[in-house]
Amino acid sequence: MTAPSTRTETVELGVELLAHLEREELTLPEAIDRIETVTTSPALTREILDTAEKRGVIDRDGARLRVERGGTHVNYETQVVTREGSFECRRCGSGLTTGHFVRLDAGELGPFGSSCIRKVTGREESADE
């Protein structure tokens, strides 16, 4: 994956990731877990959340977020690609031989393992959620 090269590109990728979550509601820590696949900067994380809220992508209610999906979600057949190689999962840090990448309009995010890709997109909940 080519990492976003500017602050604006990073924010756009984070907002688009939130817009494509398949869950309608999640806690702030769950949202941050997803955003940390884009950036670990607390300032950028805040900016992503603020931008997503201003655009109507999410609605914050205390420590809970409601995703205003509008029918968008990651299409696994067209937006998730796999590549063979030597990778490290962006979510959990595990070594991978098959990386799963999410193609969004704002850029590509990954690599992820087969279970982490489902957790990042909200298709599956983490055991700690």
Side-chain angles (χ1 to χ4, degrees), residues 18-24 56-57 66-73:
L18 289 174
H20 281 80
L21 289 178
E22 293 191 28
R23 294 179 57 196
E24 292 182 20
V57 170
R66 191 172 60 250
V67 179
E68 305 296 335
R69 298 187 302 164
T72 64
H73 59 82

Side-chain angles (χ1 to χ4, degrees), residues 20-106:
H20 281 80
L21 289 178
E22 293 191 28
R23 294 179 57 196
E24 292 182 20
E25 190 173 288
L26 64 164
T27 66
L28 185 57
E30 291 168 342
I32 291 171
D33 180 59
R34 273 60 171 199
I35 294 169
E36 284 180 341
T37 65
V38 178
T39 182
T40 56
S41 162
L44 274 172
T45 297
R46 270 191 305 279
E47 188 173 342
I48 289 167
L49 289 168
D50 290 345
T51 302
E53 186 173 29
K54 287 176 189 171
R55 292 184 186 169
V57 170
I58 61 169
D59 181 40
R60 285 195 254 191
D61 181 16
R64 298 209 59 84
L65 303 176
R66 191 172 60 250
V67 179
E68 305 296 335
R69 298 187 302 164
T72 64
H73 59 82
V74 172
N75 182 319
Y76 276 65
E77 292 180 20
T78 60
Q79 290 180 283
V80 175
V81 295
T82 58
R83 295 189 190 111
E84 300 300 318
S86 180
F87 303 107
E88 184 177 299
C89 179
R90 284 188 63 101
R91 181 174 180 275
C92 73
S94 294
L96 307 169
T97 56
T98 301
H100 295 76
F101 298 81
V102 181
R103 289 184 176 164
L104 301 170
D105 290 341

